[in-house]
Amino acid sequence: MEKITRPPGNREYIKHGRPFFISLCVVFTFVLSCMSCARHAEPAEHPEYFTPLLDRAWEMADSGMIMQAFAFLDSAYSHTAFVPGKYDRYRKYNFKAHYLIGIFRDYDVALVYVDSMLLMLEGKADIHTDDYLSTHMQKGFIFFNQNRYAEAYLYYYKGKMLAIEYNSQCQYAALTASLGRVTYRQGKYQDAIPFFREAFVQGSYCDTTEFLTTVHLRQEQLSNIGLCYEQLGLPDSAVWYYEYTLDFITQHEPRFPGAYRSIAMARGVIYGNLGSIYFKKGDYEKARYFLQQAIQINEQSGYDNYDALLNSIKLADLYLTTGRYTIAAQTMQQVRTALDSISFDEAELRWRMLAWRYYDILGDTKQAYRAHLHYTGFKDSFDAERRELPGMNYKVIFDNLSQQYQIGILQKDNRLKALYLVLTVLFSVMAVVVFFLIRKNYLQSKHNVVKLTALNRRITGQNMYLQQTLDALEHSQQEHTRIMKTVAHDLRNPVAAMVGIADLLLQESLNTPGQKEMIEMIKTSGMNAFQVMEDLLHDSDNLPVEVIALDELIDYSVELMRFRAAEKNQQLIVNLRSGYIRANRQKIWRVLNNLIVNAIKFTPQSKTITIGMETREEKILVTVRDEGIGIPDEVKAGIFEAVASARRTGTSGESSFGMGLAIAKQIIETYEGRIWFETEVGQGTVFYIEWPAASVPVQQS
């Protein structure tokens, strides 16, 4: 939920301006309530959940497992924590309808799904326009294949009007193609060609990323033009269009590797058409080749088995024509076995006619007569179902549907005008209310302006006072810096003398090894202190950077602190690994020294302090772990800041200035590192430092 924050300003102004805002909210809430009171809550859509399921189902169906895909979707939709929204269910129904129409040709069951799809999209045509239009087209296609031509035309026409209304070129192209198919079914092949050509051209305006619109539907129109020329007795033109269709498919195939199955089925249909045309031309060898290719593709499970049956009948006819009666009989028997398990009227009619011809060629008069009776009886029934089509006056149908459509538009306009009138009255009342609220708010604002002017004068005075305070602080900071440099300058000579004396003592031969080591440490500490003073006296931002053996520097720092730890009977444990960083040696020594001193300071007597180092993914991690008093919550926030709240007394009364960790953090971040800690009161603290690892320096020979 968004948090509404109050803008800065006069509290009095905000308090008096609140009624205006509240009043507007009340008015708009009332309007929205009136406009949405009739709506009922619908389950939300869950595309992020159901889209992967549907993608998986399409993949299964494309691989031939269509029924398994149906079962998978039914199970997935039933066993889910999400309630499918209307569009989620639409996509499931569309998946099933696609295969029921295109593969199984079970139009009765498909019609149930399509009706449900229209119900799911009710009131959502503006959101899912293409789906809404294509569903109308699907329903028209089902009616057409059920020989319910008037109803088919009704839905085709509805689709056309909707396509014009929503400016959908793709759906308009699909409707044009549907009209071409009806014209072809009427036997008006010359009139059908312009429909198919127009549909092919209109398809070029569709989404070029979708296989269905870019390749499948457009190649279908080219193939249909070839069929028209074949029926008109123009075989050369038909062959040209079939070959053009194959070239068109090949041209676009690389763009859609996932549609290999649909592309293969389309090729199978074209091969079958080429086989038919070469059969008619008398080129039996080419005809046999293309028919066998078509059958080999579409007889596979999940492919267009109906097309494979038709081509098998054509191939049997070819064998019969060329005198190969045995293989013709075998092919016919295979088709007969398939037709006994499915209902395919067109294939059944062709098979019966071929059986009649087969027995007639063999001279089996009795069987030929019986086959002839079977053929003519089935043909009468077949033709009876199509009597409606040739005599239909489509112009009258279109005119009637157009009039109904215009009446519907007028009724819709009247309802909209009534709604606009109600809204106009409502908004007029709102305008009057808003006018009075604005006038009241304006009068109140004039009163508030006087108060705001006085408040601004007071704020201006406070700003001037703050500026003076900042100037004084800046002067104080400059004076503090001057004093620091003076102190550092005065300490240089004593520290330099200490280093010189240590150097003289080292030259004496009377020193024992232990004494010599102690004097060496005094000299090194003095030189480090001298370098710190130099940093204070000069610009410390441009100090030399070198590759440092961090493990050696840590070991040296620990050795310096062992005597201090021994005063509290503490033990320093070191776990180091070789590692290098790029930094200024003196700066890093100050950081390590500060962390070890703090660990000793805040750790009780006889405890252990562990200093470790390890390499992690091109990073070097240093840890300083103590068993001390820990850091309380009230101090944690300012532990890396130079504030008084960070000062604490050590376990043996050691004093603290509260600045060491602030300086250490600044130095660490200068060399692209970071510092943090983990602590538990009474149990101890672990400080972590992490730097980028540097390459091992090359030894000069």
Side-chain angles (χ1 to χ4, degrees), residues 545-551 578-583 585 615 617-620 672 691-700:
V545 175
E546 58 183 308
V547 177
I548 303 169
L550 189 58
D551 55 320
S578 177
Y580 298 85
I581 64 171
R582 287 187 58 82
R585 181 180 298 274
T615 302
E617 296 181 357
E618 299 184 355
K619 299 280 187 180
I620 289 183
E672 301 180 359
W691 284 291
S695 301
V696 179
V698 179
Q699 300 294 332
Q700 300 293 334

Side-chain angles (χ1 to χ4, degrees), residues 503-521:
D503 193 42
L504 289 173
L505 289 173
L506 286 172
Q507 297 176 12
E508 295 290 336
S509 60
L510 300 177
N511 298 322
T512 65
Q515 291 172 338
K516 188 173 182 179
E517 182 181 359
M518 295 288 290
I519 296 170
E520 183 70 39
M521 293 173 65

Side-chain angles (χ1 to χ4, degrees), residues 52 68 123 163 173 180 335 388 473 499 520 526 540 622 687 696:
Q68 293 90 327
V335 174
E388 178 187 1
L473 286 172
V499 173
E520 183 70 39
S540 61
V622 177
F687 276 90
V696 179

Side-chain angles (χ1 to χ4, degrees), residues 388-586:
E388 178 187 1
L389 184 63
M392 291 179 65
N393 190 334
Y394 294 110
K395 185 178 184 306
V396 174
I397 292 177
F398 280 134
D399 290 342
N400 291 337
L401 290 174
S402 179
Q403 291 176 5
Q404 294 176 15
Y405 180 77
Q406 295 300 329
I407 292 172
I409 292 293
L410 291 174
Q411 292 175 344
K412 184 177 180 180
D413 287 344
N414 289 335
R415 289 194 294 269
L416 286 175
K417 288 177 181 178
L419 178 61
Y420 290 153
L421 180 61
V422 172
L423 290 176
T424 301
V425 174
L426 183 60
F427 279 105
S428 298
V429 174
M430 286 179 56
V432 174
V433 174
V434 170
F435 171 76
F436 282 107
L437 290 174
I438 291 174
R439 184 174 181 276
K440 179 181 178 181
N441 191 67
Y442 171 73
L443 296 175
Q444 183 64 46
S445 298
K446 289 180 63 178
H447 175 69
N448 289 335
V449 167
V450 178
K451 292 185 177 182
L452 285 172
T453 303
L455 180 62
N456 286 336
R457 285 198 297 268
R458 195 182 342 167
I459 291 173
T460 302
Q462 291 176 350
N463 287 340
M464 293 177 60
Y465 175 75
L466 288 173
Q467 186 61 48
Q468 293 172 359
T469 303
L470 288 173
D471 292 341
L473 286 172
E474 184 177 356
H475 177 74
S476 175
Q477 177 67 22
Q478 293 173 353
E479 183 65 19
H480 174 73
T481 302
R482 186 187 65 80
I483 293 173
M484 290 279 292
K485 290 189 175 183
T486 301
V487 171
H489 181 271
D490 292 342
L491 287 175
R492 287 177 65 198
N493 292 334
V495 173
M498 179 181 71
V499 173
I501 293 170
D503 193 42
L504 289 173
L505 289 173
L506 286 172
Q507 297 176 12
E508 295 290 336
S509 60
L510 300 177
N511 298 322
T512 65
Q515 291 172 338
K516 188 173 182 179
E517 182 181 359
M518 295 288 290
I519 296 170
E520 183 70 39
M521 293 173 65
I522 292 171
K523 177 184 176 182
T524 304
S525 298
M527 291 176 66
N528 289 335
F530 187 82
Q531 185 61 48
V532 171
M533 295 172 198
E534 286 294 312
D535 294 348
L536 292 173
L537 287 170
H538 302 94
D539 182 9
S540 61
D541 292 334
N542 297 314
L543 295 175
V545 175
E546 58 183 308
V547 177
I548 303 169
L550 189 58
D551 55 320
E552 295 178 3
L553 188 57
I554 293 173
D555 192 60
Y556 168 72
S557 299
V558 171
E559 290 303 319
L560 285 178
M561 294 294 109
R562 286 194 185 278
F563 301 99
R564 188 162 181 173
E567 295 175 359
K568 299 178 73 172
N569 197 27
Q570 296 170 342
Q571 185 179 6
L572 298 182
I573 299 176
V574 181
N575 295 317
L576 303 178
R577 291 189 178 183
S578 177
Y580 298 85
I581 64 171
R582 287 187 58 82
N584 178 265
R585 181 180 298 274
Q586 300 299 329

